[in-house]
């Protein structure tokens, strides 16, 4: 493990150490290493609530963000909007980071639309056209639909594991840290104040209030916890059952990077809770959560404590964006945006499997910014 770039945040029974060692040895097999990068899109009306998400400058743009991020990832340009997504103060989407890091990997991207407001205008697997209602409704998704999505995730995970050496599972769900809080709370975890946010300062009270209202309306406040898929139905989003199913099925055969922060820690919790329901042994699954340092060490959150509470192996990719030529990237070091579109996990894969040096990754990200963002006038 290259500790200067990839930092362990929390380990559980040495699962992280073993997982990272497996990733690093993949490129030593004497044959080409083939992986798959999967971007799971989802939408929730939660993203319309002011102060919840920075994944788009306005509620209308946040509804478009999953489609546009997928288009930029696959095509190198937006189709559904004029520019790539930016935060309310103009900081660019992390799709720039991910697209740059993928250049160092033999890792074909795949887009899966789990249920978004606007389908991406690129080749993709469409599972549903049903975004989630706000977590405050207590009826985010019908339970039968959540069960359907989980089943589809299991099918996809088995198929992808049979064809690849590893998977990088990423998400784009504006408002997803709030749905993550909702699911973790519904599962019985006490995690208020621990989850990160795409905003520089997370509004923990706002998110907790939405979740409390949702759980009250779901009638679950009198129960210590809900069953995993019930938790998603009450306060989740459509990405969660799909990715937890994919990870559960694939990690029984190949290493799976859950590329994200708070949202992927919620997927980890779901995956482990669901393992027993599918006859799998959670401790035998080869998976870990990898995010960016801006999420892992977010001063307005507590990701190490969250990972410890969930017993989740968590690592952080640590690029040095202060060396960037672009102010729109240097702003990440001040807590803007932080993560998304699998940025941290893809950087880690490029470093460990693709043998990319930190300085080469930074040069590629700067060049990708030149290519994709010059027209947005963010620089």
């Amino acid at each position: 493990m290259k500790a200067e770039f990839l930092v362990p945040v929390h380990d559980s029974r040495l699962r992280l150490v073993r997982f990272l060692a497996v990733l690093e040895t993949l490129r030593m097999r004497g044959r080409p290493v083939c992986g798959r990068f999967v971007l799971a899109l989802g939408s929730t009306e939660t993203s319309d609530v002011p102060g919840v998400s920075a994944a788009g400058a306005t509620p209308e743009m946040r509804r478009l963000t999953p489609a546009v991020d997928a288009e930029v990832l696959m095509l190198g340009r937006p189709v559904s909007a004029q520019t790539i997504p930016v935060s309310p103060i103009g900081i660019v989407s992390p799709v720039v980071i991910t697209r740059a890091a993928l250049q160092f990997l033999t890792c074909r991207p795949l887009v899966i639309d789990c249920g978004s407001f606007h389908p991406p205008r690129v080749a993709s697997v469409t599972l549903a056209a049903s975004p989630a209602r706000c977590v405050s409704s207590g009826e985010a998704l019908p339970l039968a639909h959540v069960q359907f999505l989980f089943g589809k995730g299991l099918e996809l995970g088995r198929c992808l594991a049979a064809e690849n050496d590893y998977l990088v599972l990423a998400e784009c769900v504006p408002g997803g840290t709030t749905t993550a809080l909702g699911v973790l709370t519904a599962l019985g975890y006490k995690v208020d104040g621990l989850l990160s946010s795409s905003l520089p300062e997370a509004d923990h009270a706002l998110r907790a209030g939405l979740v409390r209202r949702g759980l009250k309306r779901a009638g679950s406040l009198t129960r210590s916890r809900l069953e995993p898929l019930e938790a998603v139905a009450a306060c989740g989003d459509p990405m969660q059952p799909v990715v937890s199913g994919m990870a559960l099925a694939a990690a029984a055969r190949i290493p799976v990077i859950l590329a994200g922060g708070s949202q992927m820690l919620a997927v980890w919790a779901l995956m482990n809770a669901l393992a027993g329901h599918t006859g799998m042994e959670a401790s035998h699954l080869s998976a870990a959560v990898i995010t960016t340092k801006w999420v892992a060490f977010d001063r307005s959150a507590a990701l190490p404590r969250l990972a410890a509470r969930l017993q989740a192996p968590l690592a952080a990719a640590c690029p040095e964006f202060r060396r960037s030529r672009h102010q729109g990237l240097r702003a990440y070091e001040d807590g803007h945006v932080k993560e998304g579109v699998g940025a941290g996990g893809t950087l880690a894969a490029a470093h460990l499997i693709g043998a990319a040096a930190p300085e080469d990754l930074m040069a590629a990200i700067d060049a990708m910014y030149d290519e994709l963002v010059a027209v947005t006038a963010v620089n």
Side-chain angles (χ1 to χ4, degrees):
M1 183 179 68
K2 308 231 179 358
E4 74 282 358
F5 185 79
L6 190 59
V7 173
V9 178
H10 179 266
D11 205 350
S12 177
R13 301 176 183 175
L14 298 179
R15 291 181 70 171
L16 180 64
V17 169
R18 292 193 296 268
F19 179 81
L20 295 178
V22 169
L23 289 184
E24 200 164 21
T25 57
L26 282 176
R27 70 173 186 266
M28 304 174 188
R29 291 184 176 181
R31 62 175 176 82
V33 178
C34 295
R36 203 70 191 262
F37 175 91
V38 180
L39 178 60
L41 310 181
S43 294
T44 165
E45 292 175 3
T46 310
S47 69
D48 293 341
V49 178
V52 159
S53 174
T58 65
E60 293 77 16
M61 286 305 301
R62 289 192 286 276
R63 288 187 170 215
L64 267 174
T65 289
V68 178
D69 270 342
E71 292 160 4
V72 174
L73 177 77
M74 300 295 285
L75 304 176
R77 60 183 176 86
V79 179
S80 298
Q82 292 186 333
T83 62
I84 71 175
V86 296
S87 74
I89 67 164
I91 307 306
V92 68
S93 163
V95 69
V96 172
I97 303 169
T98 302
R99 186 171 163 87
L102 283 173
Q103 295 176 118
F104 296 89
L105 296 165
T106 306
C107 189
R108 294 173 296 155
L110 171 67
V111 174
I112 299 176
D113 188 355
C114 307
S116 58
F117 287 117
H118 300 279
R121 295 165 68 179
V122 293
S124 60
V125 175
T126 301
L127 299 182
S130 303
R133 297 178 64 196
C134 183
V135 296
S136 62
S137 71
E139 298 177 341
L141 292 161
L143 179 57
H145 186 61
V146 173
Q147 293 166 337
F148 165 79
L149 291 175
F150 177 63
K152 287 296 183 181
L154 288 172
E155 291 176 16
L156 285 165
R158 293 188 191 105
C159 291
L160 291 170
E163 300 170 351
N164 295 282
D165 296 308
Y166 68 96
L167 296 182
V168 179
L169 302 184
E171 55 73 30
C172 183
V173 185
T177 56
T178 304
T179 57
L181 175 64
V183 165
L184 290 173
T185 304
L187 289 175
Y189 293 102
K190 305 298 183 185
V191 293
D192 277 1
L194 303 187
L195 280 71
S196 186
S197 168
S198 53
L199 294 158
E201 295 291 331
D203 191 335
H204 296 294
L206 172 63
R207 295 193 303 197
L210 293 170
V211 169
R212 279 196 301 271
R213 289 198 294 276
L215 292 177
K216 183 177 181 179
R217 288 170 177 163
S220 62
L221 291 182
T222 57
R223 299 165 60 183
S224 60
R225 61 175 62 95
L226 297 180
E227 290 297 312
L229 297 184
E230 289 179 342
V232 176
C235 289
D237 65 60
M239 175 277 295
Q240 294 164 332
V242 175
V243 176
S244 59
M246 291 177 65
L248 193 55
R253 299 184 58 177
I254 61 173
V256 175
I257 297 173
L258 294 172
S262 300
Q263 295 187 59
M264 285 302 177
L265 285 168
V267 167
W268 166 270
L270 277 172
M271 181 183 75
N272 279 266
L274 288 161
H277 293 261
T278 55
M280 297 183 187
E281 177 57 55
S283 62
H284 295 165
L285 300 175
S286 180
V289 180
I290 304 182
T291 187
T292 64
K293 66 178 183 179
W294 306 298
V295 167
F297 307 114
D298 182 354
R299 288 176 293 180
S300 73
L303 263 287
R305 285 173 55 198
L306 177 60
R309 199 153 293 180
L310 304 177
Q311 287 299 291
L314 174 64
C318 300
E320 183 47 75
F321 273 24
R322 297 209 186 278
R323 298 177 181 173
S324 172
R325 292 183 281 104
H326 301 288
Q327 176 56 35
L329 292 174
R330 293 196 296 272
Y332 274 66
E333 297 285 359
D334 298 320
H336 294 281
V337 183
K338 302 170 190 168
E339 168 67 284
V341 199
T346 313
L347 285 170
H351 189 53
L352 290 175
I353 301 169
E359 56 271 23
D360 295 330
L361 283 166
M362 191 68 254
I365 294 165
D366 265 339
M368 189 61 64
Y369 191 103
D370 289 333
E371 178 183 334
L372 299 180
V373 189
V375 296
T376 69
V378 172
N379 189 14

